[in-house]
Amino acid sequence: PLFCPPCWLSCSRFHGMISREEADQLLSQAEGSYLIRESQRQPGTYTLALRFGNQTRNFRLYYDGKHFVGEKRFESIHDLVTDGFITLYIETKAAEYIAKMTINPIYERVGYTTLNQEPTLRKILPLGQEMSDGPVPAKDGRNAEERLTSLVRRATLRESDMVPKYEKVHNFKVHTFRGPHWCEYCANFMWGLIAQGVKCADCGLNVHKQCSKVVPNDCQPDLRHVKKVYSCDLTTLVKAHNAKRPMVVDMCIQEIEARGLQSEGLYRISGFSELIEDVKLAFDRDGEKADISSNAYEDINIITGALKLYFRELPIPLITYDAYPRFIETAKITDPEKRLESLHEALKLLPPAHIETLRYLMAHLKRVTDYEKENLMPSENLGIVFGPTLMRAPELDAMTALNDIRYQRLVVETLITNEDVLF
């Protein structure tokens, strides 16, 4: 609730219920002066009147534990007024300059200024090939340029081994910077006492709020900002670790295929929840160094439980909220061929990191069905388990969400059965 705090009434700047004209007359004596008045037209509402540029400007004043007239909230009226005068001065005196700030940004010439850049040569080497500390010996007598060209050619031939360059939008949050700061998009000063701009929570990029609207979708998450594995956006996680897929998915599936494909009730039988939580904490703490071997967790159901928990805790499901309606409509198609065609089109709606992870998971589940005589887990059973795990209804009522369960099962079952055709 918004109300008038006692500090306004006791403030020397509070002048009670006076008109705009009276406020203007009082403030006309000094540029930069201000007062608080109660509205005559709407008693119980309050106005902050500022004298700036030989004009009196009136702003509706609110309080919800902090003082505000717009988006920014302040601990004191003094801070609000000080920030207001700074903003008015900048926007009045430099309006034309501000309008041109994003036209020729420094960002397009230098890119990130907050991230460590890898050597160019390392970027073009296939995964797993390490750079030597010293110069590369010319064993075949070729010069450096020829060898570099050869490296590029080999990297192109092994493109499937390269980590894909997933596109990711920045996760900007309003931020208060301590001390002088400059926008990393336009290289101009970020003004104001608080909330001077926005900061990407994933990569640390600092920009003006207006600049954030034109920054490219090229966020490269920094591990200093990505603190955990579970409950982290999938694309954010794989970009932060420079990987094709989340390490949880790769490591759990590798462990399951090494020692669990013939386990009865695989994925259907639950492991001990406390131990599943231990695996989650291990990944959050140690990342790819987490020990999920049989020495640490003998019961394979703990590993399958940890994998399912990872997908359940994704903030954006593997089959995203945006794509969800299309997948459900696809499942309602009765003709098998048309359903397959529609499913193929629906997959195109998924972000690249999501579809790569889904492809890898479906190929794994297809291999699980190869042992269905031993594990009793055909594609239909796996669809029942993974349908609600991979797909979540976006803000649907309980009855609709309940009705969707059978379609979720059918979607996953179709993906498993036809994974070689669809991916």
Side-chain angles (χ1 to χ4, degrees), residues 100-111 113 183-188 207-208 211 214-216:
K100 295 179 179 178
M101 283 196 314
T102 60
I103 293 177
N104 187 30
I106 189 174
Y107 188 90
E108 293 182 358
R109 299 193 295 275
V110 303
T113 58
C183 175
E184 294 178 88
Y185 183 77
C186 68
N188 289 291
V207 297
H208 290 112
C211 289
V214 291
V215 171

Side-chain angles (χ1 to χ4, degrees), residues 271-281 297 302:
F272 288 110
S273 58
E274 295 86 354
L275 294 177
I276 291 173
E277 194 67 22
D278 282 348
V279 175
K280 170 187 172 180
L281 294 174
Y297 303 99
I302 294 168

